[in-house]
Amino acid sequence: MTADLLHDDVASLLRVGEHRYTTSRRQVISVLHTSAGPVTILDILEVDTGLAQSSVYRNLAILEEVGAVVRIVTHDDHARFELAERLTDHHHHHLICTICGSVSDFELTADTEGALNMAFAKVSRSAKFTIDSHRLDLLGSCADCA
């Protein structure tokens, strides 16, 4: 997705949530858009040194509230952030190290995703639950911590 389309989509989400698309929010979205994977607040501040830490916290909370950003909780309740799948059309899952908190993205084959979706559908039917989407986070130790 181009940056212009991304910003248009985020602006729409914010309008629906009755929020403005401020310069700071645009900067946070730009950092997330150019990041190779989920990032911490400190990572965002290192990329865009003009942002204030308190502003990043507030803006991420609002962007998460409207569905533009996803929070990935790692070890000790630390968090990393990434653009929501609805904005990227990139379905993926996460490997989360419970020791250092690193997060790596991974994708499953179409066959594996299909098998998971069938299993999830069976569970949801028996629980009378409607699934909107799914996230799969695998917890363990990264190569550096193992």
Side-chain angles (χ1 to χ4, degrees):
M1 172 180 284
T2 68
D4 289 339
L5 287 175
L6 171 63
H7 288 297
D8 289 346
D9 288 350
V10 173
S12 294
L13 290 171
L14 286 163
R15 269 193 305 277
V16 169
E18 299 182 358
H19 298 283
R20 293 179 307 120
Y21 199 16
T22 63
T23 301
S24 294
R25 290 180 189 143
R26 182 177 288 271
Q27 288 172 273
V28 169
I29 291 296
S30 291
V31 171
L32 294 175
H33 181 62
T34 58
S35 297
V39 295
T40 64
I41 289 175
L42 292 178
D43 294 333
I44 293 169
L45 294 168
E46 286 176 11
V47 172
D48 192 327
T49 58
L51 289 168
Q53 187 170 350
S54 60
S55 173
V56 173
Y57 275 100
R58 278 191 313 275
N59 287 314
L60 282 169
I62 290 168
L63 291 165
E64 184 180 12
E65 174 190 317
V66 300
V69 169
V70 173
R71 173 191 309 257
I72 302 159
V73 178
T74 61
H75 74 301
D76 297 334
D77 291 329
H78 286 91
R80 293 179 183 264
F81 300 87
E82 67 183 1
L83 292 174
E85 188 176 305
R86 71 198 297 182
L87 296 173
T88 63
D89 292 326
H90 175 236
H91 182 68
H92 64 278
H93 305 286
H94 302 108
L95 300 170
I96 301 174
C97 180
T98 56
I99 297 170
C100 72
S102 68
V103 178
S104 301
D105 294 345
F106 73 95
E107 295 177 28
L108 297 171
T109 65
D111 288 344
T112 303
E113 280 289 344
L116 279 174
N117 286 332
M118 287 175 31
F120 295 155
K122 183 177 178 182
V123 168
S124 69
R125 275 192 307 276
S126 67
K128 296 182 179 156
F129 183 83
T130 302
I131 297 174
D132 295 323
S133 64
H134 74 266
R135 278 185 16 194
L136 182 60
D137 294 337
L138 302 181
L139 309 176
S141 303
C142 69
D144 291 338
C145 295

